Short mmCIF file of all heavy atoms in Angstrom, two decimals:
data_model
loop_
_atom_site.label_atom_id
_atom_site.label_comp_id
_atom_site.label_asym_id
_atom_site.label_seq_id
_atom_site.Cartn_x
_atom_site.Cartn_y
_atom_site.Cartn_z
N GLU A 90 -1.34 -0.57 -29.29
CA GLU A 90 -1.47 -0.13 -27.90
C GLU A 90 -0.07 0.18 -27.37
O GLU A 90 0.86 -0.58 -27.57
CB GLU A 90 -2.12 -1.22 -27.06
CG GLU A 90 -2.54 -0.73 -25.71
CD GLU A 90 -3.44 -1.72 -24.99
OE1 GLU A 90 -4.30 -2.33 -25.64
OE2 GLU A 90 -3.25 -1.87 -23.78
N TYR A 91 0.07 1.27 -26.70
CA TYR A 91 1.39 1.76 -26.33
C TYR A 91 1.80 1.35 -24.92
O TYR A 91 0.98 0.98 -24.10
CB TYR A 91 1.43 3.28 -26.43
CG TYR A 91 0.65 3.97 -25.33
CD1 TYR A 91 1.27 4.39 -24.18
CD2 TYR A 91 -0.72 4.18 -25.44
CE1 TYR A 91 0.56 5.01 -23.16
CE2 TYR A 91 -1.44 4.80 -24.43
CZ TYR A 91 -0.79 5.20 -23.29
OH TYR A 91 -1.50 5.81 -22.29
N THR A 92 3.10 1.47 -24.70
CA THR A 92 3.65 1.42 -23.36
C THR A 92 4.55 2.64 -23.23
O THR A 92 5.06 3.16 -24.22
CB THR A 92 4.50 0.15 -23.11
OG1 THR A 92 5.64 0.20 -23.96
CG2 THR A 92 3.70 -1.11 -23.35
N THR A 93 4.75 3.10 -22.02
CA THR A 93 5.58 4.27 -21.80
C THR A 93 7.00 3.99 -22.28
O THR A 93 7.62 4.84 -22.91
CB THR A 93 5.57 4.65 -20.31
OG1 THR A 93 4.23 4.89 -19.92
CG2 THR A 93 6.40 5.89 -20.06
N GLY A 94 7.52 2.80 -22.02
CA GLY A 94 8.87 2.45 -22.46
C GLY A 94 9.02 2.54 -23.96
O GLY A 94 10.02 3.04 -24.48
N CYS A 95 8.03 2.07 -24.68
CA CYS A 95 8.07 2.12 -26.14
C CYS A 95 8.03 3.57 -26.61
O CYS A 95 8.76 3.95 -27.54
CB CYS A 95 6.90 1.33 -26.73
SG CYS A 95 7.02 1.07 -28.51
N SER A 96 7.21 4.39 -26.00
CA SER A 96 7.11 5.80 -26.38
C SER A 96 8.45 6.50 -26.19
O SER A 96 8.90 7.25 -27.06
CB SER A 96 6.07 6.52 -25.52
OG SER A 96 4.81 5.95 -25.68
N ILE A 97 9.10 6.26 -25.06
CA ILE A 97 10.40 6.87 -24.78
C ILE A 97 11.44 6.35 -25.76
O ILE A 97 12.22 7.13 -26.32
CB ILE A 97 10.81 6.60 -23.32
CG1 ILE A 97 9.92 7.40 -22.38
CG2 ILE A 97 12.28 6.95 -23.10
CD1 ILE A 97 10.10 7.08 -20.92
N ASP A 98 11.46 5.06 -26.00
CA ASP A 98 12.42 4.49 -26.95
C ASP A 98 12.23 5.06 -28.34
O ASP A 98 13.19 5.37 -29.04
CB ASP A 98 12.30 2.96 -27.01
CG ASP A 98 12.91 2.27 -25.81
OD1 ASP A 98 13.56 2.96 -25.00
OD2 ASP A 98 12.73 1.05 -25.69
N SER A 99 10.98 5.22 -28.76
CA SER A 99 10.69 5.76 -30.08
C SER A 99 11.20 7.20 -30.18
O SER A 99 11.86 7.58 -31.16
CB SER A 99 9.19 5.70 -30.35
OG SER A 99 8.90 6.16 -31.63
N TYR A 100 10.92 8.00 -29.18
CA TYR A 100 11.40 9.38 -29.15
C TYR A 100 12.93 9.40 -29.22
O TYR A 100 13.51 10.13 -30.03
CB TYR A 100 10.90 10.10 -27.90
CG TYR A 100 11.61 11.40 -27.63
CD1 TYR A 100 11.34 12.53 -28.41
CD2 TYR A 100 12.57 11.50 -26.63
CE1 TYR A 100 12.01 13.72 -28.19
CE2 TYR A 100 13.23 12.69 -26.40
CZ TYR A 100 12.95 13.79 -27.17
OH TYR A 100 13.63 14.97 -26.96
N ARG A 101 13.57 8.63 -28.39
CA ARG A 101 15.04 8.60 -28.36
C ARG A 101 15.62 8.12 -29.68
O ARG A 101 16.59 8.68 -30.19
CB ARG A 101 15.52 7.69 -27.22
CG ARG A 101 15.32 8.28 -25.87
CD ARG A 101 15.73 7.31 -24.79
NE ARG A 101 15.79 7.99 -23.51
CZ ARG A 101 15.91 7.36 -22.35
NH1 ARG A 101 15.99 6.06 -22.31
NH2 ARG A 101 15.96 8.04 -21.24
N PHE A 102 15.02 7.10 -30.26
CA PHE A 102 15.48 6.53 -31.52
C PHE A 102 15.48 7.60 -32.62
O PHE A 102 16.48 7.81 -33.30
CB PHE A 102 14.59 5.34 -31.90
CG PHE A 102 14.90 4.73 -33.23
CD1 PHE A 102 16.03 3.93 -33.39
CD2 PHE A 102 14.07 4.95 -34.32
CE1 PHE A 102 16.31 3.35 -34.63
CE2 PHE A 102 14.35 4.38 -35.55
CZ PHE A 102 15.47 3.58 -35.70
N TYR A 103 14.36 8.27 -32.81
CA TYR A 103 14.26 9.27 -33.87
C TYR A 103 15.06 10.53 -33.54
O TYR A 103 15.60 11.19 -34.44
CB TYR A 103 12.80 9.59 -34.18
CG TYR A 103 12.14 8.45 -34.90
CD1 TYR A 103 11.23 7.61 -34.27
CD2 TYR A 103 12.47 8.16 -36.23
CE1 TYR A 103 10.66 6.54 -34.93
CE2 TYR A 103 11.90 7.08 -36.90
CZ TYR A 103 11.00 6.28 -36.24
OH TYR A 103 10.44 5.22 -36.91
N HIS A 104 15.20 10.86 -32.28
CA HIS A 104 16.04 11.99 -31.88
C HIS A 104 17.49 11.71 -32.26
O HIS A 104 18.20 12.59 -32.76
CB HIS A 104 15.89 12.25 -30.37
CG HIS A 104 16.49 13.55 -29.94
ND1 HIS A 104 17.81 13.67 -29.60
CD2 HIS A 104 15.93 14.79 -29.81
CE1 HIS A 104 18.05 14.92 -29.26
NE2 HIS A 104 16.93 15.62 -29.39
N ASN A 105 17.95 10.49 -32.02
CA ASN A 105 19.32 10.12 -32.38
C ASN A 105 19.53 10.17 -33.89
O ASN A 105 20.57 10.63 -34.36
CB ASN A 105 19.65 8.72 -31.86
CG ASN A 105 19.81 8.69 -30.36
OD1 ASN A 105 20.02 9.71 -29.72
ND2 ASN A 105 19.68 7.51 -29.79
N ILE A 106 18.54 9.68 -34.64
CA ILE A 106 18.64 9.72 -36.11
C ILE A 106 18.75 11.18 -36.57
O ILE A 106 19.58 11.51 -37.41
CB ILE A 106 17.45 9.01 -36.78
CG1 ILE A 106 17.55 7.50 -36.57
CG2 ILE A 106 17.39 9.34 -38.28
CD1 ILE A 106 16.35 6.73 -37.06
N LEU A 107 17.90 12.04 -36.02
CA LEU A 107 17.93 13.45 -36.41
C LEU A 107 19.29 14.07 -36.08
O LEU A 107 19.86 14.80 -36.90
CB LEU A 107 16.81 14.24 -35.72
CG LEU A 107 16.76 15.73 -36.04
CD1 LEU A 107 16.57 15.96 -37.54
CD2 LEU A 107 15.65 16.40 -35.25
N SER A 108 19.83 13.78 -34.92
CA SER A 108 21.15 14.30 -34.54
C SER A 108 22.21 13.87 -35.54
O SER A 108 23.06 14.68 -35.95
CB SER A 108 21.54 13.81 -33.14
OG SER A 108 20.66 14.31 -32.18
#
Side-chain angles (χ1 to χ4, degrees):
E90 192 168 320
Y91 73 94
T92 65
T93 302
C95 191
S96 300
I97 290 172
D98 284 352
S99 182
Y100 166 74
R101 287 177 168 169
F102 176 75
Y103 288 106
H104 192 274
N105 289 341
I106 289 174
L107 179 60
S108 296

